[in-house]
Amino acid sequence: MHYRRADVAGGTYFFTVNLAERKRTLLVDHVDVLWVVIQKVKATHSFHIDAMVILSDHLHALWTLPGTDADYPTRWALIKAGFSRCLPQDERRNSSRIAKGERGIWQRRYWEHLIRDESDYSNHVDYIHYNPVKHGHVKRVAEWPYSTFHRYVARGIYPPDWGGGVAMNDEKDFGE
C-alpha cells in the first residue's frame, strides 16, 4: 500500500513517532543517545525543532524544514536507524522484520501533519508540551525534563507555571 504524505518545501510539520513495543522505556532510558543522533542528522540534513517532547515510548516533534526541502522521511529514517544502531539487540522481532534485516525498535510508520496556520501551530506546540501530563508521567508540565517547554519559558513564551508547574533548573535544552 502506498501512503500519501504531505511534501511542502519549507513546511512546518507535527510528528508522532512510536516505539514498536509500547511498554518499553527506551527513549528516556537512552535520551542522551537519541539527542546525539538527532543533532547529527540536523548537521547533515538541516531542520529547525520548533517544539519537542520525548516520552518513554514515543515522541512528538514540530519541525520546520528549509525553504527548498520537504524531505522529512529521510530525516526520520536516519534518526530511527541511528538510534537503533546504538542500542543492544534485545528487542522482539517478527519474521517480517527479520527477513528485511530490520530492528524491532520503532513502529515502521509515524504520524505527520502539515501545520496550516498560526492557530494550528500554537495548538500543536501546546499539545506537545502538555503531553507528559496527559500520559500521567508528571502532574505539572515543568516537571518533565525532556521537553522544549523549558526553552519556551526561558524565552517568555510560556509562564513557568503553564500547565500547573514551576520551571526546573536541571532541564535539558531539547530543540536547539
Side-chain angles (χ1 to χ4, degrees), residues 3 19 29 35 44 48 61 70 75 78 85-87 94 103 110 114 129 138 142 146 164 175-176:
Y3 290 90
L19 292 179
D29 293 346
W35 191 243
T44 58
H48 182 263
R75 289 166 173 86
L78 291 169
R85 278 192 292 272
C86 293
L87 300 183
N94 61 27
R103 298 283 306 266
Y110 51 86
L114 177 64
H129 292 140
V138 292
Y146 313 119
E176 301 207 302

Side-chain angles (χ1 to χ4, degrees), residues 102-115:
E102 295 177 356
R103 298 283 306 266
I105 293 177
W106 299 98
Q107 286 185 2
R108 285 185 176 139
R109 294 178 185 84
Y110 51 86
W111 170 260
E112 98 281 337
H113 165 77
L114 177 64
I115 299 298

Side-chain angles (χ1 to χ4, degrees), residues 12 62 113-125:
T12 299
L62 193 68
H113 165 77
L114 177 64
I115 299 298
R116 296 180 309 269
D117 56 31
E118 289 295 323
S119 175
D120 194 26
Y121 182 94
S122 178
N123 289 338
H124 280 87
V125 169

Side-chain angles (χ1 to χ4, degrees), residues 123-144:
N123 289 338
H124 280 87
V125 169
D126 288 351
Y127 178 85
I128 287 168
H129 292 140
Y130 197 74
N131 213 252
V133 175
K134 174 187 169 196
H135 287 284
H137 296 299
V138 292
K139 292 195 184 303
R140 294 178 300 274
V141 173
E143 294 172 347
W144 192 252

Side-chain angles (χ1 to χ4, degrees), residues 19 24-38 52 54-57 59 79 82-91 103 105-106 144 146 172 174:
L19 292 179
R24 297 198 73 182
T25 59
L26 293 175
L27 298 182
V28 294
D29 293 346
H30 302 282
V31 70
D32 292 332
V33 171
L34 179 60
W35 191 243
V36 167
V37 170
I38 290 169
M52 187 167 184
I54 299 169
L55 300 168
S56 56
D57 64 347
L59 63 86
I79 290 168
F83 181 73
S84 297
R85 278 192 292 272
C86 293
L87 300 183
Q89 294 187 15
D90 64 353
E91 74 275 6
R103 298 283 306 266
I105 293 177
W106 299 98
W144 192 252
Y146 313 119
K172 297 182 185 289
F174 286 93

